[in-house]
Short mmCIF file of all heavy atoms in Angstrom, two decimals:
data_model
loop_
_atom_site.label_atom_id
_atom_site.label_comp_id
_atom_site.label_asym_id
_atom_site.label_seq_id
_atom_site.Cartn_x
_atom_site.Cartn_y
_atom_site.Cartn_z
N GLY A 55 -2.07 24.11 -12.48
CA GLY A 55 -1.10 25.06 -12.90
C GLY A 55 -1.09 26.28 -12.03
O GLY A 55 -1.02 26.24 -10.76
N THR A 56 -1.19 27.47 -12.58
CA THR A 56 -1.14 28.73 -11.80
C THR A 56 -2.61 29.17 -11.43
O THR A 56 -2.74 30.31 -10.92
CB THR A 56 -0.47 29.88 -12.63
OG1 THR A 56 -1.23 30.02 -13.87
CG2 THR A 56 0.95 29.55 -12.85
N GLY A 57 -3.56 28.32 -11.64
CA GLY A 57 -4.89 28.62 -11.13
C GLY A 57 -5.87 29.36 -11.94
O GLY A 57 -6.89 29.88 -11.52
N ASN A 58 -5.53 29.52 -13.28
CA ASN A 58 -6.38 30.33 -14.15
C ASN A 58 -7.71 29.74 -14.37
O ASN A 58 -8.74 30.48 -14.25
CB ASN A 58 -5.66 30.52 -15.47
CG ASN A 58 -4.34 31.29 -15.27
OD1 ASN A 58 -4.20 32.21 -14.54
ND2 ASN A 58 -3.29 30.89 -16.07
N LEU A 59 -7.75 28.44 -14.63
CA LEU A 59 -9.15 27.81 -14.73
C LEU A 59 -9.79 27.77 -13.42
O LEU A 59 -11.01 27.90 -13.34
CB LEU A 59 -8.99 26.42 -15.37
CG LEU A 59 -10.26 25.55 -15.40
CD1 LEU A 59 -11.35 26.31 -16.33
CD2 LEU A 59 -10.02 24.17 -16.03
N THR A 60 -9.14 27.50 -12.34
CA THR A 60 -9.66 27.44 -11.05
C THR A 60 -10.42 28.75 -10.79
O THR A 60 -11.61 28.73 -10.16
CB THR A 60 -8.52 27.32 -10.02
OG1 THR A 60 -7.59 26.30 -10.39
CG2 THR A 60 -9.14 26.90 -8.67
N GLU A 61 -9.83 29.87 -11.13
CA GLU A 61 -10.53 31.16 -10.89
C GLU A 61 -11.86 31.25 -11.66
O GLU A 61 -12.80 31.78 -11.16
CB GLU A 61 -9.59 32.34 -11.31
CG GLU A 61 -8.39 32.51 -10.34
CD GLU A 61 -7.49 33.58 -10.73
OE1 GLU A 61 -7.33 33.84 -11.96
OE2 GLU A 61 -6.95 34.24 -9.81
N LYS A 62 -11.87 30.73 -12.90
CA LYS A 62 -13.10 30.78 -13.72
C LYS A 62 -14.15 29.94 -13.12
O LYS A 62 -15.35 30.29 -13.01
CB LYS A 62 -12.76 30.26 -15.10
CG LYS A 62 -11.84 31.09 -15.89
CD LYS A 62 -12.52 32.31 -16.47
CE LYS A 62 -11.59 33.02 -17.48
NZ LYS A 62 -12.12 34.34 -17.90
N LEU A 63 -13.74 28.75 -12.60
CA LEU A 63 -14.73 27.82 -11.95
C LEU A 63 -15.31 28.47 -10.72
O LEU A 63 -16.51 28.39 -10.46
CB LEU A 63 -14.02 26.53 -11.59
CG LEU A 63 -13.54 25.69 -12.83
CD1 LEU A 63 -12.51 24.61 -12.44
CD2 LEU A 63 -14.76 25.11 -13.60
N ARG A 64 -14.50 29.05 -9.89
CA ARG A 64 -14.98 29.65 -8.70
C ARG A 64 -15.82 30.87 -9.00
O ARG A 64 -16.88 31.10 -8.28
CB ARG A 64 -13.73 30.10 -7.83
CG ARG A 64 -13.17 28.95 -7.01
CD ARG A 64 -11.79 29.29 -6.43
NE ARG A 64 -11.74 30.65 -5.86
CZ ARG A 64 -11.87 30.83 -4.53
NH1 ARG A 64 -12.22 29.83 -3.76
NH2 ARG A 64 -11.79 31.97 -4.11
N ALA A 65 -15.54 31.64 -10.04
CA ALA A 65 -16.34 32.75 -10.46
C ALA A 65 -17.74 32.30 -10.88
O ALA A 65 -18.71 33.03 -10.85
CB ALA A 65 -15.67 33.54 -11.57
N SER A 66 -17.74 31.07 -11.32
CA SER A 66 -19.12 30.43 -11.65
C SER A 66 -19.80 29.89 -10.54
O SER A 66 -20.89 29.32 -10.60
CB SER A 66 -18.90 29.33 -12.74
OG SER A 66 -18.32 29.89 -13.98
N GLY A 67 -19.27 30.09 -9.28
CA GLY A 67 -19.91 29.54 -8.10
C GLY A 67 -19.73 28.05 -7.81
O GLY A 67 -20.50 27.51 -7.05
N LEU A 68 -18.77 27.43 -8.45
CA LEU A 68 -18.54 26.00 -8.26
C LEU A 68 -17.53 25.67 -7.17
O LEU A 68 -16.59 26.40 -7.03
CB LEU A 68 -18.09 25.40 -9.67
CG LEU A 68 -18.93 25.62 -10.78
CD1 LEU A 68 -18.33 25.09 -12.08
CD2 LEU A 68 -20.35 24.90 -10.64
N GLU A 69 -17.88 24.60 -6.50
CA GLU A 69 -16.89 24.06 -5.49
C GLU A 69 -15.73 23.33 -6.31
O GLU A 69 -16.12 22.50 -7.14
CB GLU A 69 -17.56 23.08 -4.54
CG GLU A 69 -16.65 22.41 -3.58
CD GLU A 69 -17.25 21.29 -2.76
OE1 GLU A 69 -18.53 21.07 -2.91
OE2 GLU A 69 -16.50 20.63 -2.03
N VAL A 70 -14.53 23.69 -6.02
CA VAL A 70 -13.43 23.17 -6.82
C VAL A 70 -12.39 22.49 -5.90
O VAL A 70 -11.97 23.02 -4.87
CB VAL A 70 -12.65 24.19 -7.57
CG1 VAL A 70 -11.64 23.68 -8.52
CG2 VAL A 70 -13.66 25.10 -8.38
N ILE A 71 -11.93 21.25 -6.24
CA ILE A 71 -10.86 20.64 -5.62
C ILE A 71 -9.80 20.41 -6.69
O ILE A 71 -10.07 19.83 -7.81
CB ILE A 71 -11.29 19.18 -5.16
CG1 ILE A 71 -12.31 19.34 -4.04
CG2 ILE A 71 -10.03 18.49 -4.56
CD1 ILE A 71 -13.68 19.23 -4.57
N GLY A 72 -8.55 21.01 -6.46
CA GLY A 72 -7.49 20.90 -7.48
C GLY A 72 -6.62 19.73 -7.28
O GLY A 72 -6.34 19.36 -6.12
N VAL A 73 -6.13 19.22 -8.33
CA VAL A 73 -5.15 18.10 -8.27
C VAL A 73 -3.92 18.52 -9.15
O VAL A 73 -4.13 18.73 -10.35
CB VAL A 73 -5.73 16.75 -8.84
CG1 VAL A 73 -4.72 15.67 -8.77
CG2 VAL A 73 -6.95 16.41 -7.92
N GLU A 74 -2.77 18.54 -8.56
CA GLU A 74 -1.63 19.08 -9.33
C GLU A 74 -0.36 18.34 -8.83
O GLU A 74 -0.03 18.29 -7.64
CB GLU A 74 -1.51 20.57 -9.07
CG GLU A 74 -0.16 21.23 -9.50
CD GLU A 74 0.14 21.09 -11.03
OE1 GLU A 74 -0.79 21.50 -11.80
OE2 GLU A 74 1.13 20.51 -11.35
N PRO A 75 0.40 17.71 -9.83
CA PRO A 75 1.60 16.98 -9.43
C PRO A 75 2.82 17.77 -9.15
O PRO A 75 3.84 17.33 -8.59
CB PRO A 75 1.82 16.02 -10.59
CG PRO A 75 1.19 16.74 -11.74
CD PRO A 75 0.02 17.55 -11.19
N ASN A 76 2.84 19.02 -9.64
CA ASN A 76 4.04 19.86 -9.53
C ASN A 76 3.94 20.77 -8.28
O ASN A 76 3.00 21.57 -8.13
CB ASN A 76 4.24 20.73 -10.77
CG ASN A 76 5.47 21.59 -10.72
OD1 ASN A 76 5.47 22.61 -10.20
ND2 ASN A 76 6.57 21.05 -11.22
N ASN A 77 4.99 20.63 -7.42
CA ASN A 77 4.92 21.36 -6.13
C ASN A 77 5.01 22.84 -6.35
O ASN A 77 4.30 23.64 -5.65
CB ASN A 77 6.12 20.89 -5.31
CG ASN A 77 6.10 21.67 -3.92
OD1 ASN A 77 5.21 21.50 -3.16
ND2 ASN A 77 7.16 22.44 -3.71
N ALA A 78 5.76 23.36 -7.30
CA ALA A 78 5.92 24.76 -7.57
C ALA A 78 4.61 25.33 -7.99
O ALA A 78 4.16 26.37 -7.56
CB ALA A 78 6.97 25.07 -8.60
#
Side-chain angles (χ1 to χ4, degrees):
T56 56
N58 297 322
L59 175 59
T60 316
E61 290 180 326
K62 296 282 190 188
L63 294 164
R64 280 164 47 91
S66 296
L68 300 174
E69 177 187 356
V70 186
I71 299 92
V73 177
E74 169 58 58
N76 181 272
N77 182 63

